[in-house]
Amino acid sequence: MFFYLEVSLNSEVEPLNSEIEPLNSEVAPLNSEVAPLNSEIAPLNLEVEPLNSKVAPLNSEVASLNPEVAPLNSEVAPLNPELQDQKFKTRNF
């Protein structure tokens, strides 16, 4: 029974291997391009990780304020053209 199972799996795996082998030859040169980039990225990740821990609480704070800000945006939007016009007039006096 084990012999049959092994032969059966081999018959399924062999066609997949023939599809994978050409892909490996395409991927190998890309790996050599990516490796140096990974070494550049690693130190940046170390810098970013502490910042992420500071930003995460701020994101939740901003999310809680969004419902309050959204109605104000609709009040401010009509004033923007008026304000832009006033800025233009004050610059050209």
Side-chain angles (χ1 to χ4, degrees):
M1 180 163 171
F2 288 117
F3 178 73
Y4 173 75
L5 180 61
E6 186 177 327
V7 170
S8 174
L9 288 176
N10 280 341
S11 66
E12 292 179 33
V13 168
E14 287 302 323
L16 295 174
N17 281 339
S18 64
E19 290 179 33
I20 290 171
E21 286 173 13
L23 297 174
N24 282 338
S25 64
E26 291 179 34
V27 168
L30 298 174
N31 283 338
S32 64
E33 291 178 34
V34 168
L37 297 175
N38 284 338
S39 64
E40 290 178 33
I41 291 170
L44 297 174
N45 283 337
L46 294 175
E47 291 179 35
V48 167
E49 285 176 21
L51 298 175
N52 283 339
S53 64
K54 292 179 181 177
V55 168
L58 296 174
N59 283 339
S60 61
E61 198 175 323
V62 166
S64 70
L65 294 173
N66 278 337
E68 295 174 38
V69 171
L72 297 175
N73 283 337
S74 61
E75 290 179 34
V76 169
L79 299 175
N80 281 334
E82 198 176 303
L83 293 173
Q84 292 298 326
D85 189 42
Q86 285 180 2
K87 269 196 232 176
F88 181 74
K89 286 178 183 172
T90 56
R91 286 187 192 154
N92 295 318
F93 52 89

